[in-house]
């Protein structure tokens, strides 16, 4: 397959922005969160292949593994650190076997120091709040992140799954560089409020799960064959009954891809590229062939009729199941207390 000559570069965030490749690499699948961890030498090879291909933006989190994904990337970036943009996240952890979302300043600092060690670097390019702690005013979390910027431990700040008002409040403490949210032809809930707010404030948008966690790239059989330990097994859209109904969406996209002479993954990514120059999709993969296919999407163009056709296959009325297993942790539930409410709660 012919690969694009040079992956374009874009800037995330208009205030002191971060330059990244137009497509990034989501790394969660390399570690234990998506089924068993993949062999380390192969994953390091994939990371180096990505860099050689012009994909320099890597997305991880301390929660992936947990922790092991950052350690893996720390090893992979040895000797090539200056060529890459590292994005990682904090704020979701397992505590007594339960998920906890934590945005307290003491924890922000602890988590950052630990990520720096695992990533074997002295500065994180883009540090995200992975999920918003609705017990702590977003300003309080941001004050600590701002200090980390001033100390040179992180360069840029982002939020993942934050509502428009949370974005606005956070941005008033320190300019945000990126908002990371799920965005694909079948997850478009951010378009009404989150996207316009980012554009008004000059904040870049990083689209996670642009392949619908694999469904849009490989269909229902791929999902059915996921390991039992795979985090995605819990997702409503992938429960047997919903999956059967959602199969039609995949079938229609397959048929369109065949007509266009590309793959369904490329069609799904081409749609995300059309959303704007301020948008960077980060498809996840653990395979060089799939990676090559995904960057090949940069050469797939969609005219407005084709875009509309693709969108018509994944309208809200035909999608079965919520996009996330923990909808309570998406932007829809990310309002934090005001500073005065917080003071009176203490
Ligand atoms: P996430 O953000 O959860 O990583 P995603 O980017 O929408 O979600 O999809 C990632 C999934 O799509 C991965 O399971 C990946 O599987 P591999 O590691 O086996 O590649 C799958 N995937 C990515 N690109 C693909 C492609 N071109 N063809 C088929 N499956 C692909």
């Amino acid at each position: 397959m012919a690969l694009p000559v040079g992956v374009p570069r874009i800037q995330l965030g208009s205030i002191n922005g971060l330059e990244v490749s137009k497509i990034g690499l989501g790394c969660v699948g390399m570690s234990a969160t998506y089924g068993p961890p993949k062999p380390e030498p192969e994953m390091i090879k994939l990371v180096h292949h990505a860099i050689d291909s012009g994909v320099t933006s890597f997305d991880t989190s301390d929660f992936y593994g947990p922790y092991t994904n950052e350690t893996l990337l720390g090893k992979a970036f040895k000797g090539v650190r200056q060529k890459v943009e590292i994005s990682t996240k904090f704020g979701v952890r397992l505590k007594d076997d339960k998920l906890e979302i934590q945005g307290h300043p003491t924890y922000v600092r602890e988590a950052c120091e630990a990520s720096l060690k695992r990533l074997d670097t002295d500065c994180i390019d883009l540090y995200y709040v992975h999920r918003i702690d609705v017990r702590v005013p977003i300003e309080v979390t941001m004050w600590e992140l701002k200090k980390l910027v001033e100390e040179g431990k992180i360069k840029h700040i982002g939020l993942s799954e934050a509502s428009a008002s949370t974005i606005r409040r956070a941005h008033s403490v320190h300019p945000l560089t990126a908002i990371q949210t799920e965005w694909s032809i079948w997850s478009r809930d951010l378009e009404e409020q989150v996207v316009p707010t980012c554009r008004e404030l000059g904040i870049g948008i990083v689209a996670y799960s642009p392949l619908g966690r694999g469904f849009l790239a490989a269909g229902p059989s791929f999902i059915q064959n996921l390991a039992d330990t795979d985090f995605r097994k819990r997702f409503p859209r992938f429960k047997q009954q919903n999956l059967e109904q959602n199969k039609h969406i995949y079938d229609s996209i397959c048929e369109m891809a065949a007509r266009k002479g590309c793959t369904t993954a490329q069609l799904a990514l081409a749609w995300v590229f059309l959303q704007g120059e301020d948008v960077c999709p980060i498809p996840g993969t653990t395979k060089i062939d799939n990676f090559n296919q995904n960057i090949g999407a940069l050469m797939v163009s969609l005219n407005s009729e084709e875009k509309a056709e693709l969108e018509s296959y994944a309208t809200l009325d035909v999608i079965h199941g919520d996009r996330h297993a923990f909808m309570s942790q998406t932007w829809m539930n990310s309002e934090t207390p005001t500073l005065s409410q917080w003071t009176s709660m203490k």
Side-chain angles (χ1 to χ4, degrees):
M1 176 194 324
L3 294 179
V5 183
V7 171
R9 313 278 300 166
I10 58 163
Q11 183 174 306
L12 293 175
S14 59
I15 308 170
N16 181 27
L18 172 67
E19 193 188 292
V20 294
S21 48
K22 173 70 187 151
I23 175 169
L25 179 59
C27 298
V28 59
M30 300 178 186
S31 302
T33 312
Y34 280 6
K38 313 300 175 295
E40 194 173 288
E42 275 178 41
M43 295 306 102
I44 293 179
K45 201 168 146 199
L46 170 62
V47 168
H48 292 168
H49 173 79
I51 299 169
D52 293 343
S53 311
V55 172
T56 55
S57 181
F58 294 85
D59 185 83
T60 181
S61 164
D62 58 4
F63 185 60
Y64 301 163
Y67 311 118
T68 50
N69 196 234
E70 285 188 335
T71 307
L72 168 73
L73 291 182
K75 289 183 194 168
F77 295 148
K78 257 204 173 27
V80 290
R81 172 67 187 96
Q82 297 314 316
K83 294 185 180 172
V84 301
E85 303 89 47
I86 306 178
S87 301
T88 192
K89 322 184 191 78
F90 77 94
V92 182
R93 65 173 170 181
L94 281 177
K95 205 177 167 202
D96 306 324
D97 278 342
K98 288 207 181 93
L99 274 187
E100 187 203 48
I101 298 185
Q102 182 52 265
H104 193 277
T106 319
Y107 179 70
V108 174
R109 181 162 291 271
E110 263 172 40
C112 178
E113 304 279 2
S115 286
L116 285 168
K117 276 205 190 93
R118 285 188 292 267
L119 289 162
D120 196 14
T121 187
D122 51 10
C123 181
I124 293 163
D125 297 298
L126 175 55
Y127 199 40
Y128 288 102
V129 181
H130 200 160
R131 290 292 183 271
I132 311 298
D133 184 348
V134 293
R135 301 165 302 179
V136 180
I138 191 65
E139 291 83 356
V140 174
T141 305
M142 286 294 293
W143 286 334
E144 198 61 27
L145 287 165
K146 187 177 177 188
K147 279 193 218 155
L148 292 171
V149 173
E150 287 158 0
E151 291 165 29
K153 293 186 170 160
I154 63 176
K155 280 203 190 111
H156 299 269
I157 305 174
L159 305 180
S160 181
E161 291 285 358
S163 69
S165 63
T166 301
I167 294 169
R168 234 174 247 290
R169 284 171 60 187
H171 193 73
S172 70
V173 176
H174 186 277
L176 294 172
T177 295
I179 295 301
Q180 185 172 135
T181 294
E182 182 170 354
W183 201 2
S184 71
I185 44 178
W186 80 338
S187 294
R188 301 182 55 189
D189 48 77
L190 74 167
E191 290 177 19
E192 208 172 307
Q193 291 179 17
V194 174
V195 172
T197 303
C198 288
R199 292 197 163 143
E200 181 198 321
L201 301 176
I203 304 170
I205 304 166
V206 172
Y208 80 76
S209 299
L211 301 173
R213 301 180 189 275
F215 176 84
L216 301 171
S221 58
F222 169 78
I223 299 295
Q224 273 159 338
N225 291 329
L226 293 175
D228 285 340
T229 51
D230 194 301
F231 196 61
R232 290 170 290 186
K233 282 277 182 180
R234 310 180 207 180
F235 281 69
R237 288 182 181 175
F238 303 149
K239 296 285 173 209
Q240 193 51 35
Q241 203 183 350
N242 287 340
L243 197 60
E244 273 163 30
Q245 285 170 305
N246 290 330
K247 181 177 180 297
H248 302 290
I249 301 171
Y250 179 71
D251 291 344
S252 306
I253 299 172
C254 267
E255 194 270 324
M256 183 174 172
R259 253 187 289 133
K260 283 218 35 108
C262 65
T263 67
T264 58
Q266 288 174 331
L267 215 43
L269 290 171
W271 181 88
V272 180
F273 289 137
L274 275 185
Q275 303 308 316
E277 275 307 298
D278 52 351
V279 181
C280 175
I282 48 165
T285 184
T286 54
K287 300 189 178 81
I288 286 182
D289 282 352
N290 285 350
F291 172 86
N292 290 343
Q293 202 188 100
N294 296 347
I295 57 171
L298 285 163
M299 297 195 298
V300 175
S301 56
L302 292 176
N303 62 31
S304 51
E305 287 81 38
E306 289 170 325
K307 177 172 178 276
E309 181 189 341
L310 191 53
E311 289 170 356
S312 75
Y313 297 138
T315 49
L316 279 179
D317 53 319
V318 300
I319 301 170
H320 288 81
D322 284 336
R323 70 170 167 91
H324 208 288
F326 305 97
M327 285 306 281
S328 61
Q329 292 169 15
T330 65
W331 66 264
M332 293 164 208
N333 183 30
S334 70
E335 302 306 326
T336 67
T338 61
L339 288 165
S340 56
Q341 283 167 335
W342 197 54
T343 317
S344 63
M345 278 170 354
K346 281 170 124 189

